């Protein structure tokens, strides 16, 4: 609100601020975060003065309204809001952005079509750029040989991702990230495609909201309207909608993301209580 209303007005003018937050969702999120953090502390025998922290933010992609926002486990212990004021390296959660850039590029430097059936060799590999050398490694320290792009995606294998991203150009990945709503300056370095970037939770939620909306971007917000003491609306918020990616590419990406929950790194979701 700071671009429209001064801090003095907020505290002295009797303004009513209507938010998008849902009290029920907010309470559920608060309980869920606290219980999970406490359970992890018990599992790993973490005791005071050490402690784990966490955050949770969720939104309705259809209208861009933030429904729950938890910046920490206990506001009385610390008022630092980790959703709004913290960035962390996002790792593999960034890979869908790089894969989407490849799907949108359409073909590699040899003119071969890029789609889920695209073949790539998972093997020890290095990439030279700007008189530097980059050698990515797979998490499992093993290689699968010739595999499809789909198999590389659902199993979050680093080398296939690195190969396809450097082939299409890292600058295409950074440009797409900005289209999707990332406001942090993205560096055009090869490791970006593997998630070597620090983003806020809100930026990542904005990106995945575009995926959920089949390529439509709606700016996320926590404010519906601001009403003054006389009942006059002095500010209202209607998130703008822009088609930033053709739906046909998002549909392919979402099928691949669904594959992650069926046969990939998230196939254990049902055991954690989530339905596919």
């Amino acid at each position: 609100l700071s671009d429209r209303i001064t801090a003095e007005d907020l505290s002295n003018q009797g303004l009513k601020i209507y938010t998008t937050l849902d009290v029920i969702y907010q309470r559920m999120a608060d309980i869920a975060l606290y219980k999970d953090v406490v359970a992890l502390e018990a599992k790993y025998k973490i005791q005071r003065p050490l402690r784990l922290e966490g955050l949770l933010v969720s939104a309705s992609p259809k209208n861009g309204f933030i429904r729950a926002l938890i910046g920490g486990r206990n506001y009385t212990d610390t008022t630092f809001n980790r959703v709004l004021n913290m960035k962390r390296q996002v790792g593999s959660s960034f890979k869908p952005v790089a894969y989407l850039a490849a799907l949108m590029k359409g073909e590699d430097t040899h003119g071969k079509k890029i789609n889920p059936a695209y073949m790539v060799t998972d093997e020890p590999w290095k990439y030279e750029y700007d008189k530097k050398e980059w050698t990515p490694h797979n998490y499992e320290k093993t290689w699968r040989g010739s595999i499809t792009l789909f198999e590389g995606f659902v199993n979050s294998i680093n080398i296939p991702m690195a190969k396809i991203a450097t082939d299409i150009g890292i600058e295409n990945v950074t440009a797409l990230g900005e289209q999707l709503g990332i406001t942090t300056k993205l560096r055009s370095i090869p490791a970006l495609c593997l998630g070597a970037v620090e983003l806020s939770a809100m930026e990542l939620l904005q990106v995945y909201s575009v995926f959920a909306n089949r390529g439509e971007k709606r700016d996320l917000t926590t404010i519906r309207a601001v009403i003054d003491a006389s009942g006059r609306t002095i500010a209202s918020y209607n998130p703008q909608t822009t088609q930033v990616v053709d739906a046909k590419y998002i549909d392919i990406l979402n099928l691949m993301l669904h594959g992650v929950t069926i046969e990939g790194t998230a196939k254990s979701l049902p055991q954690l209580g989530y339905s596919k």
Side-chain angles (χ1 to χ4, degrees):
L1 297 173
S2 59
D3 60 334
R4 305 190 189 189
I5 303 167
T6 68
E8 185 178 352
D9 286 341
L10 283 174
S11 58
N12 299 329
Q13 298 301 315
L15 301 178
K16 293 182 179 180
I17 301 174
Y18 294 86
T19 77
T20 63
L21 298 175
D22 184 294
V23 174
I24 295 176
Y25 290 164
Q26 185 78 10
R27 180 58 179 161
M28 291 171 62
D30 206 3
I31 293 171
L33 186 144
Y34 182 81
K35 288 175 62 176
D36 284 355
V37 170
V38 169
L40 285 171
E41 286 181 332
K43 179 179 179 179
Y44 295 104
K45 298 180 173 58
I46 298 173
Q47 299 179 345
R48 296 296 181 109
L50 299 178
R51 53 178 279 149
L52 291 181
E53 267 295 352
L55 64 86
L56 190 154
V57 58
S58 66
S60 173
K62 291 184 179 180
N63 53 25
F65 289 171
I66 301 294
R67 293 306 191 188
L69 191 155
I70 309 293
R73 64 188 284 179
N74 193 324
Y75 189 80
T76 59
D77 288 340
T78 171
T79 60
F80 181 69
N81 192 318
R82 289 158 184 80
V83 173
L84 303 178
N85 303 310
M86 183 185 77
K87 294 184 179 182
R88 285 291 184 270
Q89 191 168 105
V90 293
S92 292
S93 59
F94 187 84
K95 286 180 181 176
V97 177
Y99 272 104
L100 179 58
L103 293 172
M104 293 171 65
K105 183 72 173 177
E107 59 182 38
D108 63 15
T109 51
H110 302 290
K112 188 176 179 181
K113 298 295 183 183
I114 299 176
N115 55 42
Y118 178 92
M119 300 301 297
V120 60
T121 304
D122 178 30
E123 61 185 0
W125 177 77
K126 65 180 179 181
Y127 178 69
E128 296 180 358
Y129 70 104
D130 297 338
K131 298 181 180 180
K132 300 176 184 178
E133 188 176 281
W134 180 53
T135 306
H137 299 281
N138 292 338
Y139 177 78
E140 299 86 356
K141 304 295 190 295
T142 59
W143 303 276
R144 301 192 182 199
S146 184
I147 61 173
T148 63
L149 200 66
F150 178 81
E151 183 179 347
F153 180 87
V154 301
N155 292 290
S156 194
I157 306 174
N158 287 340
I159 291 175
M161 172 77 275
K163 283 187 172 183
I164 194 67
T166 53
D167 183 275
I168 66 163
I170 295 298
E171 67 278 2
N172 289 312
V173 179
T174 60
L176 178 59
E178 292 169 2
Q179 280 181 248
L180 295 171
I182 293 174
T183 56
T184 296
K185 179 64 176 177
L186 299 176
R187 297 173 59 206
S188 290
I189 57 173
L192 172 70
C193 68
L194 303 182
V197 59
E198 292 186 348
L199 302 177
S200 69
M202 197 70 80
E203 287 177 290
L204 206 56
L205 180 59
Q206 180 73 76
V207 168
Y208 277 79
S209 293
V210 176
F211 297 163
N213 284 326
R214 299 186 68 220
E216 285 188 356
K217 177 177 173 289
R218 294 175 178 82
D219 293 333
L220 302 179
T221 183
T222 56
I223 305 297
R224 287 178 182 270
V226 180
I227 310 297
D228 66 17
S230 65
R232 180 174 62 94
T233 300
I234 61 174
S236 61
Y237 296 82
N238 297 302
Q240 298 299 307
T241 299
T242 308
Q243 188 79 35
V244 295
V245 180
D246 193 312
K248 65 183 180 183
Y249 299 117
I250 297 291
D251 288 345
I252 296 172
L253 178 69
N254 284 339
L255 284 172
M256 295 172 70
L257 284 168
H258 184 62
V260 177
T261 70
I262 301 297
E263 55 185 282
T265 54
K267 63 184 178 181
S268 62
L269 280 178
Q271 285 76 45
L272 298 175
Y274 298 94
S275 60
K276 296 179 181 179

